[in-house]
Amino acid sequence: SDAVLCIVIPTTEWMALLATQMEAASQQKHWKATDENTPWLLRKIFEDGFKNPLGGFAIAGIFFLPLAKVARFGVAEESGLVFYINLIIGVMYLGRALAFGAEVWLISCYLDKVLEDDVKDTKTS
């Protein structure tokens, strides 16, 4: 399952990066700008440039999940730290899942707009 995550997570991150930058360039707006169509949870994540509890939690999941997983390999089973590192890993998975949901939503919004533009172009041709 970790091998699949090593493929899915970075691919989704790069697709979200591309989608947000293309959308921002086409609409002349900042990529973190939200509107009333953005789900409440995502507005809260992006609020103040991720400088809020939900935004921080999502960013922590992105950056610290891999570090926690690497730390787990360096800790002996007999060590009392294993429980705590596994707990941190579990919490970071939740933060990463929150970020993943936001990334998938951003990608889907961009793809919706691409398809809408394609339909408009097809009708005018």
Side-chain angles (χ1 to χ4, degrees), residues 9-19 103 107:
I9 299 280
T11 302
T12 305
E13 287 176 352
W14 281 98
M15 288 173 59
L17 174 70
L18 177 66
E103 291 163 348
I107 293 166

Side-chain angles (χ1 to χ4, degrees), residues 29 33-40 43 105:
K29 67 176 189 173
T34 59
D35 58 27
E36 66 277 350
N37 295 327
T38 306
W40 176 86
R43 286 196 310 264
W105 186 83

Side-chain angles (χ1 to χ4, degrees), residues 32 45-52:
K32 288 186 262 183
I45 292 170
F46 290 140
E47 196 172 79
D48 296 328
F50 299 103
K51 295 176 190 130
N52 63 74

Side-chain angles (χ1 to χ4, degrees), residues 9-104:
I9 299 280
T11 302
T12 305
E13 287 176 352
W14 281 98
M15 288 173 59
L17 174 70
L18 177 66
T20 56
Q21 299 308 304
M22 295 291 288
E23 179 72 15
S26 71
Q27 294 194 0
Q28 301 295 315
K29 67 176 189 173
H30 194 277
W31 72 270
K32 288 186 262 183
T34 59
D35 58 27
E36 66 277 350
N37 295 327
T38 306
W40 176 86
L41 187 60
L42 267 67
R43 286 196 310 264
K44 290 298 175 188
I45 292 170
F46 290 140
E47 196 172 79
D48 296 328
F50 299 103
K51 295 176 190 130
N52 63 74
L54 275 176
F57 186 50
I59 297 299
I62 290 170
F63 288 104
F64 293 115
L65 175 61
L67 293 174
K69 291 185 74 68
V70 168
R72 174 65 180 87
F73 288 115
V75 174
E77 287 292 329
E78 303 80 38
S79 167
L81 295 175
V82 172
F83 170 78
Y84 297 107
I85 291 176
N86 286 338
L87 182 64
I88 290 168
I89 288 171
V91 171
M92 291 300 104
Y93 263 117
L94 293 175
R96 189 63 193 90
L98 183 64
F100 184 77
E103 291 163 348
V104 168

